[in-house]
């Protein structure tokens, strides 16, 4: 065996390390910025309880992927094997922050908990969510190919693209334009480097350059008074040491998890399918990893993070061929795991996060949103484009619900009055809210039945619609509760029951119509064949 094959760090690993560590840091920074800056979450709970376990999952996953790469290199006798990059998943982490943890924290406070108690309950909910997703991913890792066969790509990619476009893209864009002199410059650098693919000075990663430009503008113009009240002086450096010990507090979070299952379960499902796709991508680039092993590592890293206080799931990143092209081997995942993992333990990650305000971080999220949305169209046959677009509407409704249900915009009393106004049928606000609840599963169902129609399989479309009707009946999708909870429909108040029957009936009626149309089409086909 040559010395090259035994080398732990290759020259290209430095670039790979910078790219991967910045990706993970930006996602952790957004998680903290969203919870603390948008929802008023106590910083100590984020940095001392959520961060250590979350970073620990990144450490374990990257160490395992490093070992897998070195084993593959030994087995194949090659010195160009590149490890699978692992990190925090951007769409679902942002979804957890904006759709689960933040709203849950506000709900706990409105229910009478003090701020600290509400934060701890939210943390427990986040841990429980991660454990549930980890268990789901562990089970599905043995059936990943079957899941991929039965859910069309337009449904999987369309649902995540809807999250990307309106939650990962639009909401961070609003944050950018709250401080446009800083944020828009950073966004321009990201577009220049990552969309236009221009080379950065000294070959530096585009994301790193965007952060530096934004931070320089923020810390130079801010003290001069040119940013107004948007500037806040950096906090003093603190060593927030917190070991990610396993804890059973996630068990307490299970009591709060039911209303969020329509969001949490699809988050786990998407990572399984994504893991299959990235493994195929790595195989096409020359590194033949076991799909099951890749998925199992991802699931176990997520479970370990959840047991130790983490609230964001890990995933193998789609860019393995890109890291291979820059010369990275297995050292970059080793370095990333150590730096992120120890950063969560010793607290220097939280200090770095505090130095990067949201308008500096948000441009990379807008880019990720653009990339995911573009991929939904590029990776899906053109004939299914209408299905992808159709799947965006529930996500748009969810974004509107988030804003309209914010007491800062509409008081809870006025919201309830508008929601329950049945003067002209189901109220517009009720339609928006009900359409947005369970939007990920709704998007999958809507895209799937449109794909079936395009494929001239109306009976399959009808069966998908019957599944949608059954799910809407119990609130898995189209929940009539603002929290998005599930229920037994006959236990609801009469006005809410009416909405449930209307939505479930809509699916049933359309399924019947398509079944009848398929019979007519079959007769015409039979007649043409005689």
């Amino acid at each position: 065996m040559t010395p090259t094959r035994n080398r732990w760090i290759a020259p290209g690993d430095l670039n790979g390390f910078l790219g991967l560590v910045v990706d993970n840091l930006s996602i952790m920074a957004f998680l903290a910025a969203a919870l603390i800056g948008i929802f008023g979450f106590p910083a100590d709970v984020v940095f001392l309880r959520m961060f250590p376990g979350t970073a620990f999952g990144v450490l374990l996953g990257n160490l395992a992927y490093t070992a897998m790469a070195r084993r593959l290199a030994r087995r194949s006798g090659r010195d160009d094997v590149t490890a699978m990059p692992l990190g925090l998943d951007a769409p679902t982490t942002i979804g957890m922050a904006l759709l689960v943890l933040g709203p849950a924290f506000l709900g706990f406070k409105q229910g009478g908990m003090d701020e600290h108690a509400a934060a701890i309950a939210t943390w427990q909910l986040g841990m429980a969510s991660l454990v549930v997703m980890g268990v789901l991913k562990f089970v599905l890792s043995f059936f990943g190919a079957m899941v991929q066969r039965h859910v069309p790509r337009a449904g999987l990619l369309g649902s995540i693209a809807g999250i990307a476009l309106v939650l990962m893209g639009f909401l961070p864009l609003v944050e950018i334009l709250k401080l446009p002199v800083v944020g828009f410059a950073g966004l321009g650098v990201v577009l220049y480097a990552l969309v236009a693919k221009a080379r950065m000075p000294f070959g530096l990663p585009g994301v790193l350059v965007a952060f530096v430009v934004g931070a320089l503008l923020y810390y130079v113009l801010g003290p001069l008074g040119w940013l107004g009240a948007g500037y806040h002086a950096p906090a003093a450096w603190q060593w927030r040491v917190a070991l990610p010990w396993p804890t059973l507090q996630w068990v307490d979070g299970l009591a709060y998890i039911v209303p969020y299952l329509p969001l949490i379960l699809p988050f786990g499902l998407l990572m399984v399918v994504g893991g299959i796709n990235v493994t195929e991508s790595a195989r096409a680039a020359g590194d033949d990893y076991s799909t099951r092993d890749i998925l199992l590592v991802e699931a176990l890293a997520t479970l370990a993070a959840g047991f130790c206080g983490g609230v964001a799931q890990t995933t193998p990143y789609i860019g393995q061929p890109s890291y291979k092209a820059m010369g990275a081997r297995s050292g970059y995942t080793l370095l990333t795991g150590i730096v992120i993992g120890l950063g969560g333990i010793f607290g220097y990650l939280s200090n770095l996060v505090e130095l990067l305000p949201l308008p500096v971080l948000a441009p990379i999220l807008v880019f990720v949103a653009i990339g995911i949305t573009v991929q939904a169209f590029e990776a899906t046959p053109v004939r299914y484009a209408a299905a992808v677009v159709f799947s965006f509407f529930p996500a748009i409704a969810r974004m509107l619900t988030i804003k309209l249900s914010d007491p800062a915009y509409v008081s809870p009393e006025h919201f309830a009055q508008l929601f329950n106004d049945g003067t002209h049928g189901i109220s517009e606000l009720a339609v928006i809210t009900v359409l947005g609840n369970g939007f990920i599963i709704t998007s999958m169902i809507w895209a799937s039945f449109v794909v079936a129609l395009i494929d001239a399989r109306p009976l399959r479309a009808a069966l998908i619609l019957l599944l949608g009707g059954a799910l809407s009946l119990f609130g898995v999708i189209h929940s009539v509760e603002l929290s998005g909870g599930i229920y037994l429909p006959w236990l609801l108040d009469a006005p809410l029951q009416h909405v449930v029957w209307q939505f479930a009936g809509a699916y049933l009626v359309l399924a019947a119509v398509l079944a009848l149309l398929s019979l007519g089409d079959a007769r015409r086909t039979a007649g043409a064949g005689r």
Side-chain angles (χ1 to χ4, degrees):
M1 193 172 292
T2 65
T4 303
R5 291 174 190 159
N6 288 325
R7 184 182 297 175
W8 282 95
I9 306 294
D13 280 323
L14 179 58
N15 278 334
F17 161 72
L18 285 174
L20 189 55
V21 85
V22 166
D23 280 347
N24 280 278
L25 178 61
S26 65
I27 295 167
M28 294 187 76
F30 181 83
L31 175 67
L35 291 178
I36 298 168
I38 298 175
F39 296 100
F41 210 89
D44 282 351
V45 175
V46 174
F47 295 140
L48 293 175
R49 295 180 185 265
M50 294 181 174
F51 265 29
T54 300
F56 185 60
V58 176
L59 168 63
L60 291 182
N62 274 300
L63 290 181
Y65 281 170
T66 300
M68 289 172 63
R70 294 185 66 81
R71 184 180 64 190
L72 178 59
R74 288 194 301 270
R75 191 172 66 241
S76 63
R78 293 164 43 219
D79 62 3
D80 64 343
V81 172
T82 298
M84 185 72 77
L86 178 136
L88 300 176
D89 179 65
T92 61
T93 300
I94 294 166
M96 282 292 293
L98 298 179
L99 303 176
V100 178
L101 301 176
F105 175 65
L106 297 180
F108 288 139
K109 288 205 300 183
Q110 291 171 2
M113 291 186 183
D114 63 55
E115 184 176 84
H116 181 74
I120 295 299
T122 303
W123 171 55
Q124 293 168 343
L125 168 63
M127 282 192 289
S129 301
L130 220 57
V131 170
V132 169
M133 285 189 281
V135 170
L136 177 66
K137 291 197 291 187
F138 179 81
V139 172
L140 290 181
S141 64
F142 298 97
F143 305 98
M146 184 184 70
V147 171
Q148 196 173 30
R149 282 197 306 271
H150 285 84
V151 182
R153 181 169 287 186
L156 292 167
L157 295 181
S159 61
I160 197 68
I163 297 175
L165 189 65
V166 301
L167 297 176
M168 287 179 59
F170 181 74
L171 292 182
L173 183 62
V174 171
E175 297 299 326
I176 287 172
L177 296 178
K178 285 182 179 178
L179 213 59
V181 174
V182 172
F184 208 57
L187 178 59
V189 173
V190 166
L191 296 176
Y192 178 75
L194 302 181
V195 175
K197 302 188 185 304
R199 187 179 184 277
M200 291 285 98
F202 310 109
L204 292 172
V207 175
L208 180 62
V209 174
F211 283 175
V212 170
V213 169
L216 283 175
L217 288 170
Y218 184 80
Y219 286 111
V220 170
L221 300 181
L224 296 175
W226 291 6
L227 301 180
Y231 172 75
H232 301 281
W237 186 279
Q238 299 181 54
W239 289 103
R240 299 182 176 99
V241 179
L243 293 173
W245 292 114
T247 174
L248 290 177
Q249 291 203 50
W250 64 269
V251 176
D252 297 327
L254 293 174
Y256 313 122
I257 204 170
V258 172
Y260 301 100
L261 286 178
L263 289 169
I264 293 165
L265 295 180
F267 284 165
L269 172 63
L270 287 167
M271 292 307 95
V272 172
V273 176
I276 296 170
N277 289 338
V278 299
T279 307
E280 287 298 319
S281 175
R283 190 170 292 127
D287 295 333
D288 189 9
Y289 291 108
S290 163
T291 302
R292 187 194 64 183
D293 290 350
I294 291 292
L295 294 176
L296 282 174
V297 166
E298 174 191 355
L300 293 175
T302 297
L303 277 171
F307 289 144
C308 296
V311 296
Q313 68 175 333
T314 54
T315 184
Y317 281 177
I318 192 67
Q320 194 267 2
S322 299
Y323 286 103
K324 179 181 263 318
M326 67 176 68
R329 297 298 175 246
S330 60
Y332 81 108
T333 49
L334 175 65
L335 291 173
T336 299
I338 292 172
V339 169
I340 295 294
L342 294 182
I345 294 172
F346 293 109
Y348 57 77
L349 281 185
S350 63
N351 290 284
L352 293 174
V353 163
E354 288 179 318
L355 288 173
L356 296 173
L358 196 51
V360 173
L361 294 167
I364 185 58
L365 302 176
V366 174
F367 164 73
V368 172
I370 292 171
I372 291 173
T373 307
V374 169
Q375 184 195 40
F377 290 100
E378 289 182 341
T380 303
V382 173
R383 69 180 185 276
Y384 298 139
V388 173
V389 174
F390 192 54
S391 71
F392 289 178
F393 293 126
I396 295 171
R398 182 58 191 167
M399 181 191 69
L400 290 172
T401 303
I402 291 171
K403 289 299 183 184
L404 292 174
S405 61
D406 186 341
Y409 296 100
V410 180
S411 70
E413 296 78 15
H414 190 45
F415 185 95
Q417 180 185 356
L418 294 173
F419 185 97
N420 295 315
D421 183 6
T423 307
H424 303 288
I426 301 175
S427 71
E428 188 171 315
L429 184 57
V431 169
I432 292 171
T433 304
V434 172
L435 176 58
N437 283 338
F439 70 97
I440 299 179
I441 299 177
T442 305
S443 294
M444 289 182 179
I445 290 171
W446 282 21
S448 298
F449 100 79
V450 174
V451 165
L453 292 179
I454 293 170
D455 287 340
R457 302 176 67 184
L459 277 179
R460 177 178 173 83
L463 290 173
I464 294 169
L465 287 166
L466 287 176
L467 173 62
L471 294 176
S472 69
L473 199 61
F474 299 98
V476 177
I477 63 175
H478 305 317
S479 173
V480 296
E481 295 184 354
L482 180 59
S483 64
I486 59 178
Y487 41 69
L488 297 174
W490 48 86
L491 299 181
L492 296 170
D493 295 335
L496 296 180
Q497 280 191 35
H498 172 74
V499 177
V500 170
W501 302 130
Q502 288 284 311
F503 270 79
Y507 282 93
L508 177 61
V509 168
L510 180 53
V513 168
L514 291 179
L516 291 173
L517 289 174
S518 72
L519 291 176
D521 186 59
R523 289 170 184 164
R524 285 194 298 272
T525 303
R530 284 199 294 266

